[in-house]
Amino acid sequence: AVTGDRVPEFSMPLPRWGIERPDPRPLARREHAFVITPTAAADRDAIACFVALLEREQAELVTELGCALAFTSPPGDSPAVAQCLIGPASANRPLQKLRIELDVPDPGEPHIWIDRTRGIVVIDGPDIEAVGVAFQFLRTAIHSGERLTTGALPRHAVAIATTIAREVEITYPAFALRSIDWSATMARHLRRIVHSGASLSSLQHLFVELEDAHTWVRYSAMNGHWPYRVWADQSSARLVSVPTWSAGWDAGARPGDILMDLDTRDWWSRSSATPRTKPVMTGYRIMSGTIGNERTFRVRRSHSDIVSWTEACPARPWPEPISWTVLPSRTGYLEIRGWLSTPDWGAAIEAALKELARCPQLIVDLRGNVGGNLVAAQAFRDRFLTGRTVLGAIRFSRGDGALGDPSPLIGEPATDGPRWSRPVRFLTDRESYSATEDAILGLQGLPHVEIVGEPSGGGSGRPRTIPLTAGISATISSALTYDRHGRCIEGAGIPVDRALPVHTSLTRPDLVPASAILSTADTGW
């Protein structure tokens, strides 16, 4: 409980590393270190995907630890050299050995253990999911100076406010890009946060000022999404897409209908996004829920009729993440609604490209695809490369208010399965976001590739997840990405080679259906 008007004060920004504050990264004084990853376990596929993500995104780990990294065991398998050992220990024999040799504690939960003298970092947990959780507080562990760090929750509103102030300060990469004074922002919201007991609403109003859909506060149980796209502003929320297989369609709902029983002004005020993407991201939040929970929807049709239906929240807002066909023009059409790491998803991509190989050109429809598994998105991208390609660059926040050095993003042509080198157009809109942008970053400019529609959402992401209470978590972006011309994607999106009136189909789908955009995209090859 907080009594009176006393609230904490925060000293920001952090001084840059140097004379005022030595670099706290545990391997910053090393020339290089070895990363030893798990190799085998019952959940082999999950571990393989996790290790693939680490290797593709090793620039993040380099920024965190402070030196060059090699993903291999050190010569002689000795703890005398700098190492980062990644669990679960049950699938990592060198980590098992190290625990015995150095008496490394195992608290039985996600944790970070750092021996700064020896240059040893352990990231571990009971299983691969727990190891992923442990990664989320690696930066916290480094900046705390503690030897052992677990994910302890802050105990009260003041501690929650302090945690948020600190974690955003050492993580968020876009203060300069968006001209945000974080100290002043915290000062404006601090009293409301503390005196509301750190309510979800008070925290969301704070994060709105960061204008980043990856950087938000939500109920941890929000893990599903109803299958409707919505355009929302301060006065109303309008259906943009109603799948023909959905319960809403069966009830009579159609694109352009107005959702009823919503405080859209409140949703708008609590939804973090850039001004350009805020209508679609607010709509996305409105349609988020907990898997299995039922909700009754009421919409007003254009002729004033009202239809309603009750529907349980599904795990994913589509029955199939991928569909494909051949258009009457003989153009291949591939729609990707989300990026998954499952074998079935990968097999479907291969099947689609093999079947469409008879087509002279291809449209890949990424409208409304808000992201998903980064490894899957990048692997799909590689199928369109004809040689080793510099795609752009990424800069991770460093933890002292500065950005790390740019790390080149380099793609190699896929070595397995079908590839595509004939003309291809990627159809995007402002809800094409996050991993979807990684799927097309760097393809633009290749002789056989065009981006059409409207610029993508502009979400570099690589967010950290910070638990605040047993039921509320915050996510905080940690990186900015750039295309090969040095343009920052964050907030601006990937530009198009050919603009189409997608915005109109989002705001008035009853007048300009999304299918009309597809027809226009399939002209002028």
Side-chain angles (χ1 to χ4, degrees):
V2 179
T3 58
D5 293 331
R6 297 189 62 185
V7 293
E9 296 181 358
F10 303 100
S11 175
M12 293 173 280
L14 286 170
R16 300 291 175 92
W17 296 333
I19 297 174
E20 295 181 68
R21 182 172 186 264
D23 190 337
R25 296 178 296 177
L27 308 182
R29 295 172 183 81
R30 310 275 178 163
E31 289 188 6
H32 64 272
F34 297 91
V35 179
I36 305 175
T37 56
T39 54
D43 49 352
R44 183 172 299 145
D45 290 341
I47 287 179
C49 183
F50 187 78
V51 172
L53 177 63
L54 289 177
E55 292 179 345
R56 284 178 177 266
E57 294 287 292
Q58 62 181 278
E60 180 175 6
L61 203 53
V62 168
T63 301
E64 295 285 14
L65 300 180
C67 73
L69 300 174
F71 279 73
T72 183
S73 296
D77 195 23
S78 167
V81 295
Q83 299 177 49
C84 175
L85 298 100
I86 298 170
S90 59
N92 190 326
R93 289 184 179 177
L95 177 52
Q96 296 173 20
K97 180 180 177 182
L98 184 83
R99 283 198 177 281
I100 297 172
E101 290 182 0
L102 301 184
D103 194 24
V104 179
D106 182 2
E109 60 180 315
H111 63 277
I112 308 288
W113 183 85
I114 300 175
D115 185 327
R116 290 167 173 80
T117 302
R118 289 187 175 93
I120 303 292
V121 177
V122 171
I123 306 169
D124 199 8
D127 52 37
I128 195 62
E129 183 177 353
V131 172
V133 172
F135 260 95
Q136 303 303 304
F137 46 83
L138 175 58
R139 182 164 297 188
T140 305
I142 290 170
H143 283 263
S144 72
E146 298 291 335
R147 193 176 180 88
L148 177 67
T149 303
T150 60
L153 296 174
R155 295 196 215 173
H156 46 71
V158 171
I160 290 172
T162 303
T163 296
I164 288 173
R166 178 71 174 181
E167 296 294 349
V168 172
E169 180 187 18
I170 66 174
T171 305
Y172 191 64
F175 289 127
L177 180 69
R178 295 192 167 108
S179 301
I180 295 171
D181 182 336
W182 180 235
S183 179
T185 302
M186 278 298 306
R188 283 196 303 275
H189 289 265
L190 188 55
R191 193 174 304 280
R192 177 179 182 178
I193 292 171
V194 172
H195 286 276
S196 70
S199 68
L200 179 68
S201 176
S202 70
L203 299 176
Q204 288 179 337
H205 278 99
L206 166 66
F207 274 57
V208 159
E209 299 212 26
L210 296 172
E211 295 187 350
D212 178 354
H214 276 122
T215 304
W216 202 53
V217 186
R218 64 179 179 86
Y219 288 121
S220 304
M222 300 286 276
N223 57 358
H225 198 269
W226 279 279
Y228 311 103
R229 295 181 67 190
V230 172
W231 178 279
D233 55 28
Q234 297 187 65
S235 60
S236 65
R238 183 187 301 269
L239 291 172
V240 170
S241 173
V242 182
T244 56
W245 46 262
S246 68
W249 183 275
D250 290 343
R254 295 295 182 268
D257 293 352
I258 302 297
L259 283 161
M260 303 178 66
D261 308 321
L262 284 176
D263 186 347
T264 54
R265 183 178 295 275
D266 179 59
W267 277 103
W268 180 269
S269 70
R270 294 187 291 111
S271 296
S272 181
T274 60
R276 189 174 71 91
T277 61
K278 190 156 184 172
V280 293
M281 289 303 174
T282 301
Y284 186 82
R285 304 300 185 198
I286 288 172
M287 284 295 148
S288 296
T290 301
I291 295 172
N293 281 8
E294 287 192 339
R295 180 174 169 186
T296 297
F297 296 92
R298 295 176 70 236
V299 299
R300 186 175 66 249
R301 304 295 318 280
S302 58
H303 41 70
S304 298
D305 289 345
I306 294 175
V307 298
S308 65
W309 70 98
T310 300
E311 184 176 1
C313 183
R316 297 188 176 97
W318 16 258
E320 298 292 341
I322 301 167
S323 62
W324 63 94
T325 190
V326 178
L327 301 177
S329 62
R330 295 185 59 237
T331 296
Y333 175 72
L334 171 62
E335 183 177 11
I336 303 177
R337 303 177 185 90
W339 307 97
L340 305 180
S341 61
T342 63
D344 287 348
W345 188 92
I349 286 290
E350 291 199 11
L353 291 178
K354 286 178 180 177
E355 185 173 333
L356 299 176
R358 56 194 169 95
C359 299
Q361 61 264 336
L362 174 68
I363 291 175
V364 180
D365 193 344
L366 301 174
R367 290 173 295 175
N369 186 333
V370 296
N373 185 273
L374 181 63
V375 173
Q378 293 177 341
F380 175 78
R381 173 205 65 203
D382 295 345
R383 298 188 182 280
F384 297 87
L385 298 178
T386 56
R388 192 170 193 265
T389 305
V390 177
L391 307 162
I394 189 166
R395 299 182 72 183
F396 286 92
S397 64
R398 206 173 61 172
D400 65 337
L403 290 171
D405 294 334
S407 297
L409 296 170
I410 298 175
E412 301 278 0
T415 56
D416 297 320
R419 288 159 53 184
W420 188 279
S421 58
R422 293 191 293 281
V424 56
R425 288 175 178 168
F426 294 90
L427 179 53
T428 62
D429 63 15
R430 66 188 67 191
E431 208 170 350
S432 305
Y433 193 71
S434 193
T436 297
E437 294 171 296
D438 287 281
I440 58 177
L441 180 68
L443 295 180
Q444 189 174 47
L446 298 181
H448 63 300
V449 174
E450 284 185 294
I451 311 294
V452 301
E454 67 171 353
S456 60
S460 302
R462 277 58 168 186
R464 297 177 60 206
T465 298
I466 310 295
L468 300 174
T469 71
I472 296 176
S473 298
T475 55
I476 309 169
S477 289
S478 66
L480 301 179
T481 53
Y482 303 80
D483 67 13
R484 64 162 63 94
H485 303 292
R487 293 177 297 206
C488 185
I489 300 305
E490 182 66 31
I494 296 174
V496 296
D497 300 301
R498 181 183 174 196
L500 300 175
V502 177
H503 175 77
T504 306
S505 71
L506 291 171
T507 55
R508 291 306 305 269
D510 50 330
L511 299 180
V512 183
S515 58
I517 305 300
L518 174 60
S519 299
T520 306
D522 189 25
T523 59
W525 290 94

